[in-house]
Amino acid sequence: MPGKRPVEDKEDDSNKKLNTAYNKQDIHSFFNAKVWNEKFQDDIKTQVKDSEPFRWGTIRDLIDDTLLRQVRKEVLSEIAFTKKETDIYRVYQSGDLANLSGLDWDDLSRLPSLYKLRSAVYSEEFRDVISKITGCGKLSGSKTDMSINTYTKGCHLLTHDDVIGSRRVSFILYLPDPDKTWKPHYGGGLRLFPAIVPNVPKTDHEVKLTPQFNQIAFFTVQPGLSFHDVEEVRVDKQRLSIQGWFHIPQLREAGYIPGEQEETTSRSTLQQLQSKELQEFDFPKPFRSDIHAEELKIYENFASNQFSEDEIQYLKEYLNPLYLQDQNIKGLNEIFLEESVVEIKDILKEDFANLLKESIKTTELEKKTPANSKEITFPWKCSMPPHKQRFMYMDGRDVFEQSEEGIKKINKIGPQEAPNFELIKRISDDEVDKKLSDLGSFLRSVAFRKWLLVITSVIPTSDQVLIRRFRPGQDFILATKTDKLLARPNTDELNVLLEATLNLTPTATNPKNWELGEYGGYELCMALNGGDDSDFEDDDPAIYKASDPNDDSVLYTSQCKWNSLCLMLRDPSVLKFVKYVSINAKGSRWDVSCQWNVKSVDDGTEEEEEEEEEEENKDNEQA
Amino acid sequence: MAPKRHLGLGKAAKSKKQKKEDSSEVETPEQQSNEITVELNEEADANDEVSQLRALWRTHAKSDKDNELVVNGIIHECDRLLRNSNLAKNNESEDTSKASTDESPKELPADFHSIYALALADLALFHTTDINKVREFFDAALERVGLGLQSHDGSIELLFTKSRILINQIPLQYISQLTVESKVQGGVPKLDEKLDHALEIYEEAENQARTLKQYELFNDDNLEILQALDDLLEIVDNFGKDTLEGDESDKEEDDEEEEVQLSKKHPLYGIRNTDKYNEWWRDHIIQFLQNVDKQLEKLGISYKQDYETENALLPLRREICKRIGQSYLQEAEIPSTVFTTLKYDEGFADVDQLEGLTREQSQKISQDLFKIALDYLQMAEDKEEPESWVNVAESMISLGNLYELDSEEQENYYTEAEKILAKANNATNGKYEDILENLQT
């Protein structure tokens, strides 16, 4: 059997390969001559030193203009881009360029300028310039790491810090149309976020770079600090870019320090873990308020499923009377028990819903949508931090300042009041806030909890109600899981949460606005295999194919809707996210999100089940 | 009912999957197919072959028209129906005494021929690189329309179809073969003559509709004929220029490329160097609007009213108004530039006339044009489409610019425009921030 490694024909090779050994003069000629000017380098060094919110820099007209135009032409004619979409981005990606030198002559001949460019970027000469102006130390010439992306209308990349493995400097070389100015209102800007404390970026960006052809932006990868995003491209234009990283020197390279790679890698992993565990700065918190034992008794004794006249009367003020009919309740209950999820259309009573719809629509047209966290005012707050989520919410509590001190006060010093939507309804003078708060109160009523019980056959033991608004061009929630242990110790709670999303997006009454998914805003649930911690060590964003109905890791998707309630029993193996809402969406996604700890209606069987479950868990562990 | 175990969504899915994997049942994976769904409308009889053909055609016409298989399918079906029809006719002539039991209609309706011809012409779209095929398909399509008109003399539908095919033929079969140096000579025709012919046929359809008082065919489908003409005129205007990348809707004036000059012998010269076709387009789209209004009148529907469920003619009406409004905006461009240059540009302080217009003339002409544009654009407003409000606001600003600085008229137009823009800006998350800021300063 022949060896698996292809035997290289060395004699032939020299003919086939491009001249990879460019001399110093060649390399210099690939760049704009100013790059090699000491004074220029010193100026950039100063620019970087004085930059905010973290150390970064940019150079216009970096590469020889003819060469870069040629690169752009090659890329557009020779490289195929595929659309990739996850919870954190939508982008058209090309393949990895790291193996360019390994391609055969045919492939190299197709991309000769790109090949030159890569040699130039990773040349010792240019690496030394980058080292000098960033002060980051030596950089590897052998570990190259580049990719080509194009951001077209709707493409975006949400906030992240680029910290992975041995990355030392990030760079992005922009290649939009060379004969046109890229204007700020096209979107696609590189935005930099300051940190409140390390690992916690502020909600609003501080700096935005509008990229031009042949401009490079770069920054030292700074764990916990270098948070940035790519603003969504708003128009039908191509924002092509080559982006990549300089890594720390590898074995047998100048500047190689034994152990440094391992240290950097482990530091970045540690940082990621810390960042994940740093929940002190997460708002809103997944804290549910306990339902009192006296109230629980009401549900425990509500076996007959018979609502009193008064209860029916109250429920009818809000709910569609169809869903108070025994037969329909029974039907929904069966679906829920079978599927663990049920979607209930037109859940709210028609006139209540219509009034709500009209007032939300009016708000969207008459009032400017808050463009940053400072424009958000009581009773609304902005969720944070933005590398995990951003959206407006009302939780029935007071507002607080999003600073280190403000957060310390609310977490550790100040009053810990219970949510009170009724109070907000009374003091707010905004029609939408009043109506939504009213709904919030209703969702916390005994009668509604009873209704929930008959639909789901579980008893709520704690709850949280959040009224949310996801603004176009800003808001999202990245994939998150719940705690592994949902049932609290010494309770008979199930290790699941009952979750509800009451979708109240008025623009969804026109189906063409959201149904195609191009404006995002959809909620998606995915399965973590097995549901244990090992699945989440990998920090890659949850990758899925939105268009592939056969992808069985997707458990549930829901586009923005008007007046639709989704009830779901969520176990710790379910990842959930709300996709970033496009700036071109016709309005915000509005919803109410609720969570309840729950226990089974029947204590007796539950014990058996728990035993069974424990058995099953043991089996899984053994497996 | 005894409560089931509450596993939760993830675990329930996993256990279902487990069960599936455990069982020996093999599921056949769903076949990827080229199937298309054809919706029959309410009146369509599923057993009537021509109705089925109509439904199939509508499905194709509303699609992206990128499926050659479907077009071929339609043509095969047309062939079959035609054969059956001829057969039935022959049988009848052979034995006139025998009552015909054949369910196939002997005389195929006008729209059968129309569908057949349009399908043949659409085939050309899949073979644009092969000029011989393109020619063959257009010849066949025109032959089919001709045969249809023989048996349905004066059919509005067939006349529309014929003019549509003739218009589409110009870019696909003729312009595609031209360069800037091309000349009218052996085999290369003067394209204005071709276009004149196409437009004559369109006028015939229009006249016939007037005579018969049948306006139903002034629908969104046939509006495409005027759109095709508009596109054609644009192609001719841009002939010789490099094609641009992406959306150029916001291109700046200094980005404007020079028009490429054509010699008098060029086949496109006669179309490019006259306003007559733009005027024709304007006259006939206004006529189109009037004919839509006649249909609305018959139905007792007013476009001014809000309806719970909208008649399909109303969006069509708005679309027509938008296009008419935009054409007036375009026409106002030159005189309004003349006015602002003569009035505000110091470099022209000593100049009395530009483009043959004085300051007063250009002011009056452009005000009138903008006012007409504004009327149409207001009729084109769609409460679901902020862009349609912005069109109104922008023409108000343009109109305001033509009045004295800080005059009452100017202030009124600006204030009104600002209100509309603020609303549109809210509805679109800041899309019109720039214009709004500009207006406020």
Side-chain angles (χ1 to χ4, degrees):
Chain A
M1 194 175 131
K4 279 186 181 173
R5 274 187 161 186
V7 183
E8 286 174 24
D9 186 342
K10 294 220 161 113
E11 278 170 51
D12 244 32
D13 221 22
S14 55
N15 294 331
K16 284 186 177 174
K17 278 195 175 174
L18 269 183
N19 174 17
T20 57
Y22 293 113
N23 63 32
K24 192 175 167 181
Q25 217 176 353
D26 297 330
I27 294 294
H28 276 217
S29 73
F30 296 157
F31 287 89
N32 183 331
K34 71 179 178 185
V35 172
W36 312 113
N37 178 310
E38 289 268 339
K39 166 81 171 60
F40 178 78
Q41 293 172 5
D42 290 338
D43 288 349
I44 300 289
K45 193 176 171 181
T46 313
Q47 177 207 107
V48 172
K49 197 169 117 286
D50 298 337
S51 62
E52 289 294 343
F54 50 83
R55 302 294 81 80
W56 73 285
T58 180
I59 301 173
R60 296 282 298 262
D61 306 320
L62 176 80
I63 303 290
D64 173 70
D65 186 72
T66 316
L67 172 60
L68 201 64
R69 280 174 186 260
Q70 209 53 47
V71 170
R72 187 172 190 272
K73 251 190 205 158
E74 266 175 33
V75 167
L76 291 180
S77 60
E78 300 292 338
I79 293 186
F81 290 92
T82 37
K83 180 175 161 183
K84 297 246 168 94
E85 179 163 329
T86 71
D87 57 343
I88 194 168
Y89 59 72
R90 177 192 290 171
V91 67
Y92 285 82
Q93 275 179 347
S94 74
D96 180 36
L97 296 181
N99 298 318
L100 210 57
S101 58
L103 295 178
D104 64 19
W105 173 257
D106 281 349
D107 278 328
L108 286 183
S109 68
R110 281 167 52 227
L111 300 162
S113 305
L114 187 60
Y115 187 78
K116 267 187 199 168
L117 177 72
R118 196 183 64 116
S119 306
V121 167
Y122 285 99
S123 66
E124 190 175 1
E125 290 82 358
F126 187 62
R127 279 182 284 133
D128 285 347
V129 173
I130 291 289
S131 298
K132 176 180 167 184
I133 59 186
T134 59
C136 67
K138 280 274 181 190
L139 298 168
S140 172
S142 64
K143 188 166 183 177
T144 62
D145 188 356
M146 276 164 77
S147 65
I148 304 180
N149 297 316
T150 185
Y151 288 76
T152 58
K153 190 173 181 177
C155 291
H156 57 270
L157 169 58
L158 303 177
T159 314
H160 61 287
D161 67 358
D162 265 9
V163 175
I164 287 182
S166 59
R167 293 171 179 178
R168 181 160 261 174
V169 172
S170 293
F171 65 85
I172 310 113
L173 178 61
Y174 298 101
L175 298 95
D177 188 343
D179 296 316
K180 300 276 162 63
T181 306
W182 187 270
K183 293 167 194 159
H185 74 264
Y186 296 173
L190 172 69
R191 304 188 295 194
L192 311 180
F193 291 75
I196 300 178
V197 296
N199 294 320
V200 183
K202 278 193 182 168
T203 304
D204 307 318
H205 66 271
E206 185 177 308
V207 168
K208 173 176 146 178
L209 174 83
T210 301
Q212 302 302 336
F213 178 77
N214 203 356
Q215 180 168 22
I216 192 173
F218 56 88
F219 54 86
T220 316
V221 175
Q222 297 148 79
L225 294 178
S226 48
F227 286 103
H228 58 282
D229 76 359
V230 179
E231 180 193 26
E232 181 186 356
V233 173
R234 222 183 150 142
V235 293
D236 186 15
K237 289 181 188 290
Q238 286 228 33
R239 175 196 171 281
L240 189 68
S241 64
I242 296 181
Q243 64 131 114
W245 291 274
F246 291 107
H247 289 260
I248 61 176
Q250 307 291 298
L251 188 63
R252 285 189 285 277
E253 279 191 299
Y256 172 74
I257 300 168
E260 191 185 28
Q261 164 124 3
E262 290 73 13
E263 201 203 313
T264 314
T265 309
S266 68
R267 203 172 51 219
S268 78
T269 312
L270 179 69
Q271 181 270 329
Q272 280 169 37
L273 285 176
Q274 280 171 343
S275 167
K276 241 178 270 165
E277 272 158 31
L278 197 67
Q279 284 168 6
E280 201 181 323
F281 293 87
D282 288 4
F283 289 93
K285 295 184 181 300
F287 292 171
R288 293 169 287 278
S289 316
D290 274 331
I291 292 173
H292 196 271
E294 287 299 312
E295 191 188 327
L296 284 182
K297 278 187 197 157
I298 299 178
Y299 308 127
E300 283 156 8
N301 297 326
F302 187 61
S304 61
N305 292 358
Q306 288 301 312
F307 292 104
S308 72
E309 249 332 288
D310 297 346
E311 286 168 338
I312 293 280
Q313 218 47 47
Y314 177 70
L315 289 169
K316 273 187 174 167
E317 283 178 37
Y318 298 90
L319 295 185
N320 185 336
L322 273 179
Y323 298 120
L324 298 174
Q325 291 171 9
D326 285 348
Q327 197 188 342
N328 293 336
I329 289 180
K330 202 167 158 249
L332 294 173
N333 177 252
E334 277 167 17
I335 297 173
F336 186 80
L337 292 177
E338 184 60 35
E339 307 288 337
S340 293
V341 58
V342 65
E343 217 174 302
I344 310 175
K345 287 181 181 142
D346 298 320
I347 180 70
L348 298 176
K349 190 176 75 164
E350 198 180 350
D351 29 333
F352 180 85
N354 284 345
L355 284 175
L356 182 60
K357 183 168 70 189
E358 286 316 311
S359 43
I360 297 179
K361 272 189 168 173
T362 309
T363 290
E364 290 196 320
L365 291 183
E366 305 294 338
K367 293 186 180 167
K368 188 171 174 285
T369 304
N372 55 53
S373 66
K374 293 193 177 59
E375 291 179 8
I376 298 173
T377 53
F378 179 83
W380 293 90
K381 289 182 280 229
C382 191
S383 76
M384 61 182 286
H387 64 315
K388 296 178 182 174
Q389 55 188 355
R390 189 192 291 118
F391 57 88
M392 287 170 63
Y393 70 100
M394 282 200 270
D395 60 358
R397 299 172 201 249
D398 199 2
V399 295
F400 62 92
E401 194 191 305
Q402 288 193 346
S403 63
E404 200 178 350
E405 299 75 43
I407 288 163
K408 189 176 167 195
K409 189 173 170 202
I410 190 150
N411 278 342
K412 294 177 178 161
I413 299 167
Q416 303 293 311
E417 302 274 11
N420 193 334
F421 286 107
E422 190 60 34
L423 204 58
I424 289 179
K425 184 179 122 189
R426 288 190 189 207
I427 58 179
S428 175
D429 50 14
D430 181 278
E431 210 40 51
V432 173
D433 296 355
K434 271 180 188 295
K435 287 200 170 76
L436 288 173
S437 301
D438 186 26
L439 191 57
S441 289
F442 168 70
L443 296 172
R444 307 194 74 215
S445 66
V446 174
F448 179 72
R449 285 171 182 165
K450 276 189 176 176
W451 181 83
L452 209 53
L453 162 60
V454 297
I455 300 288
T456 63
S457 298
V458 288
I459 294 174
T461 55
S462 74
D463 85 334
Q464 183 185 40
V465 172
L466 295 174
I467 295 160
R468 309 186 297 188
R469 176 179 182 184
F470 294 82
R471 299 156 297 167
Q474 301 201 55
D475 296 338
F476 62 90
I477 303 177
L478 294 192
T480 40
K481 54 172 189 168
T482 59
D483 282 338
K484 197 185 168 198
L485 291 174
L486 292 166
R488 291 169 293 181
N490 306 319
T491 65
D492 48 5
E493 285 170 354
L494 298 163
N495 202 39
V496 291
L497 291 177
L498 175 61
E499 294 196 337
T501 306
L502 171 51
N503 215 315
L504 292 172
T505 305
T507 43
T509 48
N510 182 348
K512 70 177 181 193
N513 284 344
W514 296 94
E515 274 178 8
L516 293 173
E518 63 168 311
Y519 296 134
Y522 53 85
E523 190 171 57
L524 191 142
C525 294
M526 299 172 45
L528 271 171
N529 300 323
D532 56 27
D533 279 346
S534 60
D535 302 302
F536 221 55
E537 273 170 20
D538 183 356
D539 198 40
D540 277 340
I543 294 179
Y544 66 98
K545 287 180 195 152
S547 56
D548 184 0
N550 298 322
D551 183 353
D552 60 4
S553 68
V554 175
L555 299 169
Y556 174 79
T557 335
S558 168
Q559 299 294 347
C560 285
K561 290 182 179 126
W562 169 252
N563 196 11
S564 179
L565 176 73
C566 171
L567 290 171
M568 177 187 297
L569 207 56
R570 178 176 179 187
D571 59 83
S573 73
V574 177
L575 272 174
K576 202 173 189 179
F577 68 82
V578 175
K579 179 65 189 169
Y580 165 82
V581 179
S582 166
I583 186 102
N584 289 316
K586 305 285 181 190
S588 299
R589 172 196 166 98
W590 299 74
D591 69 13
V592 186
S593 164
C594 313
Q595 281 191 332
W596 296 270
N597 277 100
V598 288
K599 61 178 195 170
S600 178
V601 282
D602 190 336
D603 288 341
T605 49
E606 192 49 38
E607 273 167 31
E608 280 169 34
E609 282 170 13
E610 270 179 13
E611 277 165 28
E612 256 180 68
E613 190 153 339
E614 270 168 32
E615 291 278 309
E616 193 189 64
N617 284 345
K618 271 181 210 159
D619 291 348
N620 284 346
E621 275 162 30
Q622 281 163 0
Chain B
M1 181 176 158
K4 289 200 179 185
R5 289 187 50 189
H6 303 289
L7 286 175
L9 185 63
K11 288 197 173 163
K14 206 182 137 207
S15 93
K16 274 185 199 163
K17 201 172 149 194
Q18 192 87 40
K19 274 186 204 154
K20 231 193 245 174
E21 280 165 8
D22 288 349
S23 69
S24 54
E25 224 176 288
V26 180
E27 278 186 53
T28 34
E30 267 183 55
Q31 297 262 325
Q32 280 286 351
S33 71
N34 284 318
E35 266 177 53
I36 56 160
T37 317
V38 177
E39 275 181 48
L40 291 170
N41 72 9
E42 282 165 33
E43 309 104 72
D45 176 357
N47 296 317
D48 171 1
E49 290 172 318
V50 177
S51 295
Q52 289 176 33
L53 178 69
R54 283 186 193 118
L56 187 59
W57 174 253
R58 255 197 316 275
T59 306
H60 162 70
K62 281 184 188 161
S63 74
D64 296 333
K65 298 195 179 186
D66 55 0
N67 195 337
E68 191 181 355
L69 284 176
V70 174
V71 184
N72 277 323
I74 290 169
I75 290 170
H76 284 302
E77 180 60 9
C78 289
D79 275 340
R80 194 183 66 81
L81 290 176
L82 193 63
R83 263 200 316 274
N84 285 352
S85 162
N86 289 340
L87 216 61
K89 269 193 220 161
N90 291 340
N91 287 343
E92 202 171 305
S93 60
E94 276 170 25
D95 185 2
T96 41
S97 59
K98 207 166 87 184
S100 169
T101 48
D102 195 336
E103 281 182 20
S104 287
K106 280 157 288 189
E107 198 57 69
L108 289 159
D111 65 343
F112 163 82
H113 298 281
S114 169
I115 291 170
Y116 199 167
L118 289 169
L120 285 165
D122 274 359
L123 267 189
L125 294 170
F126 299 101
H127 300 277
T128 47
T129 49
D130 185 343
I131 187 61
N132 290 325
K133 279 197 172 169
V134 170
R135 190 181 300 119
E136 271 172 38
F137 289 134
F138 274 112
D139 287 349
L142 289 168
E143 189 192 347
R144 176 46 50 198
V145 172
L147 288 168
L149 279 166
Q150 275 176 20
S151 46
H152 299 274
D153 189 25
S155 151
I156 305 170
E157 170 136 36
L158 284 167
L159 289 168
F160 270 142
T161 299
K162 186 171 179 185
S163 107
R164 182 195 295 242
I165 294 171
L166 287 168
I167 291 176
N168 288 335
Q169 188 183 25
I170 297 174
L172 283 169
Q173 186 178 324
Y174 299 112
I175 302 184
S176 63
Q177 305 305 307
L178 300 180
T179 64
V180 178
E181 281 78 36
S182 299
K183 285 197 170 74
V184 179
Q185 56 190 355
V188 184
K190 280 181 79 168
L191 292 181
D192 45 332
E193 286 171 5
K194 291 269 171 204
L195 184 54
D196 288 340
H197 178 51
L199 301 184
E200 272 163 29
I201 305 288
Y202 181 95
E203 287 175 21
E204 258 184 67
E206 229 176 28
N207 293 336
Q208 192 70 5
R210 191 181 304 124
T211 316
L212 301 172
K213 294 200 170 24
Q214 282 177 6
Y215 300 107
E216 289 75 16
L217 287 173
F218 290 87
N219 53 24
D220 53 355
D221 186 32
N222 284 324
L223 181 64
E224 280 178 19
I225 304 175
L226 294 178
Q227 184 57 46
L229 171 62
D230 198 28
D231 292 345
L232 170 63
L233 296 178
E234 200 180 323
I235 292 171
V236 174
D237 279 345
N238 291 321
F239 186 77
K241 285 183 196 169
D242 284 337
T243 40
L244 300 161
E245 189 181 289
D247 167 27
E248 295 298 326
S249 58
D250 67 348
K251 70 178 173 203
E252 283 163 13
E253 276 160 34
D254 54 357
D255 291 343
E256 201 82 51
E257 267 185 275
E258 280 284 305
E259 192 180 276
V260 179
Q261 290 299 322
L262 297 179
S263 97
K264 283 190 179 173
K265 287 184 184 148
H266 195 277
L268 291 177
Y269 183 84
I271 300 182
R272 164 127 19 128
N273 290 57
T274 172
D275 256 350
K276 131 177 158 191
Y277 296 105
N278 283 316
E279 283 162 14
W280 189 96
W281 180 87
R282 166 88 63 66
D283 292 345
H284 290 268
I285 197 169
I286 290 175
Q287 186 60 53
F288 203 109
L289 179 64
Q290 286 166 359
N291 292 346
V292 168
D293 282 346
K294 282 178 189 143
Q295 296 176 67
L296 284 168
E297 206 178 304
K298 210 167 155 190
L299 295 166
I301 296 171
S302 160
Y303 67 87
K304 289 173 186 155
Q305 227 171 309
D306 266 349
Y307 294 91
E308 191 66 25
T309 44
E310 241 193 1
N311 185 291
L313 286 170
L314 292 174
L316 172 66
R317 189 179 196 283
R318 286 196 295 268
E319 181 60 32
I320 298 169
C321 288
K322 183 176 111 185
R323 291 188 197 173
I324 299 175
Q326 280 169 340
S327 78
Y328 279 104
L329 287 185
Q330 223 174 357
E331 195 183 337
E333 243 171 56
I334 291 176
S336 71
T337 314
V338 169
F339 170 74
T340 45
T341 310
L342 291 178
K343 183 154 172 85
Y344 299 110
D345 192 330
E346 284 168 11
F348 289 81
D350 302 328
V351 181
D352 289 336
Q353 280 196 1
L354 270 178
E355 306 265 343
L357 295 171
T358 65
R359 198 169 88 188
E360 288 72 25
Q361 284 168 335
S362 62
Q363 184 180 27
K364 175 81 177 70
I365 292 171
S366 45
Q367 278 176 354
D368 290 348
L369 288 170
F370 276 129
K371 277 182 191 161
I372 302 173
L374 183 58
D375 284 344
Y376 279 108
L377 291 173
Q378 278 171 333
M379 289 194 286
E381 265 189 281
D382 178 346
K383 62 181 192 317
E384 299 281 334
E385 289 300 332
E387 215 170 299
S388 69
W389 323 333
V390 173
N391 290 339
V392 170
E394 284 184 327
S395 50
M396 285 178 172
I397 296 172
S398 304
L399 199 46
N401 290 342
L402 297 169
Y403 288 88
E404 289 301 311
L405 283 184
D406 304 325
S407 65
E408 198 186 330
E409 288 100 331
Q410 188 173 65
E411 281 308 306
N412 287 345
Y413 280 122
Y414 285 176
T415 315
E416 193 56 32
E418 195 181 324
K419 259 193 239 163
I420 296 171
L421 280 173
K423 199 168 132 183
N425 201 40
N426 289 338
T428 57
N429 324 300
K431 196 168 173 180
Y432 304 105
E433 203 78 49
D434 287 357
I435 318 177
L436 202 54
E437 270 171 27
N438 200 354
L439 200 59
Q440 284 159 345
T441 48

